Amino acid sequence: MAGRMPRQRLLRWQAVRTWARLIREAEGLWRVDVRDLRRVGAHELGQLLQEVPPRLRRRVNLWLERLKVSTRLP
């Protein structure tokens, strides 16, 4: 059973990092000067914020801080 803990921690770390990267990418679309891309970015960001599992939100926020994005999860 002890061998499963590192694997579970790795999977959780990967999931948290993935959520943070997706949010960063969606937020990056806001910097593009095209209305349609901003609209798509806003939609994607809204979807992502709703889909992050509550138990991972604190860790996703830590990654968002490291990635220097302004979005944070409540």
Side-chain angles (χ1 to χ4, degrees):
M1 189 175 301
R4 292 180 67 186
M5 286 299 288
R7 173 96 173 128
Q8 289 173 345
R9 288 179 62 200
L10 175 63
L11 291 174
R12 185 174 176 169
W13 177 82
Q14 287 175 330
V16 167
R17 186 180 68 164
T18 299
W19 282 113
R21 284 184 172 180
L22 287 170
I23 290 169
R24 180 183 68 179
E25 288 175 14
E27 194 176 88
L29 291 174
W30 282 87
R31 294 183 186 94
V32 177
D33 230 10
V34 179
R35 280 188 198 174
D36 288 339
L37 281 179
R38 286 185 178 212
R39 193 174 305 124
V40 168
H43 177 73
E44 289 294 320
L45 185 56
Q47 293 277 123
L48 287 167
L49 294 177
Q50 291 176 8
E51 293 176 11
V52 175
R55 73 184 205 292
L56 297 180
R57 290 181 179 192
R58 187 177 72 77
R59 288 187 160 207
V60 170
N61 278 336
L62 290 173
W63 273 99
L64 293 173
E65 287 177 26
R66 288 180 187 164
L67 296 171
K68 298 186 184 338
V69 297
S70 58
T71 300
R72 295 292 182 273
L73 298 164

